[in-house]
Amino acid sequence: MGPKCNLIIDSCCDLPFDLVDREGIELLEFPYIMEDGEHSDDLYRSGSAAAFFQAMRGGVQPSTAQLSIPRIRESFMRVAESGVPAVYIGFSGELSGSFDAAQMVHSQIMEEYPKTELYLVDSKLASIAEGMVVYEAIRQRDRGLTAAELAEWATEALCYVNCQFMVDDLETLRRGGRIPSSVAYAGSKLDVKPLLTIDLEGKLALVGVARGRRKGIKQLAAYYEKRAVTTAPGQCVILGHADCPKDVERLKEALSKSDDNILFLEGSIGPVIGSHVGPGTLAVVFWGPDRRDTISVADMIARKVKGEDHS
C-alpha cells in the first residue's frame, strides 16, 4: 500500500534533488534573476553551485522573487482535481510573501472545491533547516501518516529543528533587506564572521560572532555539542554550504570528535537563499531540544498575547 498523501515542497529547502525526486512529491521552484534574465531554482539540476557563487564573487548581484500565484494555483488545483490529500510545507512566511500567497490561493481553492484535503504548513525555516523538516516529512509520509497527521507532525517538528549558520559578511543580507543596515555596518567594522539562526517566528537572528572562519567552525561544532539530542543512535546532521567544501570537511571533523555516530547529509545552499547569504556561508542543522523552551519570559508573554503559545 502506497503513501496516504502527497507532499508539496519548495526549492528553498536546499536538499539534493535526488532526495526529493519521489512519486507524490511536487517541487515548487522559486525564481531568481541574474544578468541574463530569470531562472528557476531547480536544486542545481541546470547549473552548479560553484558557478553560481563564483559569479557572485565576481560582482554579480542576483535578485529573487516570490512564487507566482499561477504556479501555486496550478499545483493546488492538481490536488483538488485528483482527490488525493496533500500537505504543502513552505519557506518561512517571515522571509517571503510566498506563503501568504499560498494561503490566499488555498482559500480560493477551498471555495471552489470544498471537499479538497490540502493542508499548509509554514515551516518558519529556510534552507537546510527547512530541508530537515522536509527530509523527515518524506519519511513520515512513507511510513503511513495521513495528510492531517503529517501537517500536525510538521507544525510540531519545526520547533525541534536547531540551526546555526556562519556568513562571510552581512552585506548581502543587508542589501536584500533581511537585516538592519546598522547590524551589517557593525559586523564589517569589527571584521568578524557573524553567526545567525532562524528564530521561532521565522526571522533571521544574530546570535554571535567569530574572529575568523576557523573559530566560527569551532563555534558551530560547540553549538551542536551543547544542543544535540544524542540518545538515539545515528543522529542526522545536515550541513549546508555556499561553495566552501573544505570548510564542510573541517566542520565534519570537528563534529565527529564529539559524536562518532553522526549520519551526515550535505546540501548546497541554493541560488535563492544564496542570493541573500552570499558565498562562503556554512550551516549546521540537527534535531535538538524544543526551541520554545529557550525563549525569554517577555517573548513568552508576547506569544501568549498573539495566541501562539502551544504549551
Side-chain angles (χ1 to χ4, degrees), residues 9-15 30 41 43 64 88-99 121-135 154 157-159 161-167 173 178 196-205 223 238-241 267-277 281-286 291:
I9 61 175
D10 62 49
S11 60
C12 287
C13 69
D14 289 349
L15 289 172
F30 269 77
D41 181 356
L43 304 182
T64 60
Y88 169 49
I89 300 176
F91 178 42
S92 173
E94 288 290 342
L95 298 175
S96 168
S98 294
F99 195 79
V121 178
D122 180 351
S123 73
K124 299 184 180 180
L125 296 165
S127 191
I128 60 165
E130 176 187 343
M132 179 65 91
V133 175
V134 169
Y135 178 67
L158 64 90
C159 297
V161 175
N162 285 238
C163 65
Q164 198 168 100
F165 60 101
M166 172 177 65
V167 297
L173 282 166
R178 295 306 194 272
L196 298 98
T197 191
I198 305 167
D199 66 20
L200 281 165
E201 294 182 350
K203 299 175 182 176
L204 292 178
Y223 172 72
I238 305 182
L239 302 180
H241 70 103
S268 288
I269 293 173
V272 169
I273 302 298
S275 295
H276 296 287
V277 298
T281 297
L282 182 64
V284 60
V285 177
F286 53 91
R291 293 183 292 133

Side-chain angles (χ1 to χ4, degrees), residues 253-269:
E253 187 180 338
L255 291 169
S256 297
K257 287 179 181 177
S258 63
D259 183 356
D260 58 7
N261 289 315
I262 295 175
L263 298 175
F264 288 109
L265 177 63
E266 290 182 40
S268 288
I269 293 173

Side-chain angles (χ1 to χ4, degrees), residues 135-290:
Y135 178 67
E136 185 60 31
I138 293 172
R139 198 171 75 89
Q140 295 296 335
R141 180 200 77 132
D142 292 348
R143 291 179 67 184
L145 289 190
T146 65
E149 290 167 342
L150 188 59
E152 185 177 352
W153 174 89
T155 301
E156 182 70 9
L158 64 90
C159 297
Y160 294 84
V161 175
N162 285 238
C163 65
Q164 198 168 100
F165 60 101
M166 172 177 65
V167 297
D168 229 22
D169 66 69
L170 292 168
E171 178 56 27
T172 311
L173 282 166
R174 183 205 64 77
R175 203 163 47 235
R178 295 306 194 272
I179 61 167
S181 295
S182 57
V183 174
Y185 179 80
S188 65
K189 289 299 179 186
L190 292 170
D191 189 28
V192 293
K193 303 302 175 189
L195 297 170
L196 298 98
T197 191
I198 305 167
D199 66 20
L200 281 165
E201 294 182 350
K203 299 175 182 176
L204 292 178
L206 183 66
V207 292
V209 293
R211 294 281 181 181
R213 291 186 68 83
R214 288 185 180 274
K215 287 186 178 178
I217 290 168
K218 286 182 180 179
Q219 286 176 235
L220 291 175
Y223 172 72
Y224 172 82
E225 289 174 25
K226 181 180 178 182
R227 294 190 58 82
V229 176
T230 56
T231 52
Q235 159 80 294
C236 178
V237 174
I238 305 182
L239 302 180
H241 70 103
D243 194 32
C244 51
K246 290 182 180 178
D247 286 339
V248 172
E249 292 307 312
R250 292 188 184 104
L251 181 53
K252 267 188 187 178
E253 187 180 338
L255 291 169
S256 297
K257 287 179 181 177
S258 63
D259 183 356
D260 58 7
N261 289 315
I262 295 175
L263 298 175
F264 288 109
L265 177 63
E266 290 182 40
S268 288
I269 293 173
V272 169
I273 302 298
S275 295
H276 296 287
V277 298
T281 297
L282 182 64
V284 60
V285 177
F286 53 91
W287 296 110
D290 188 340

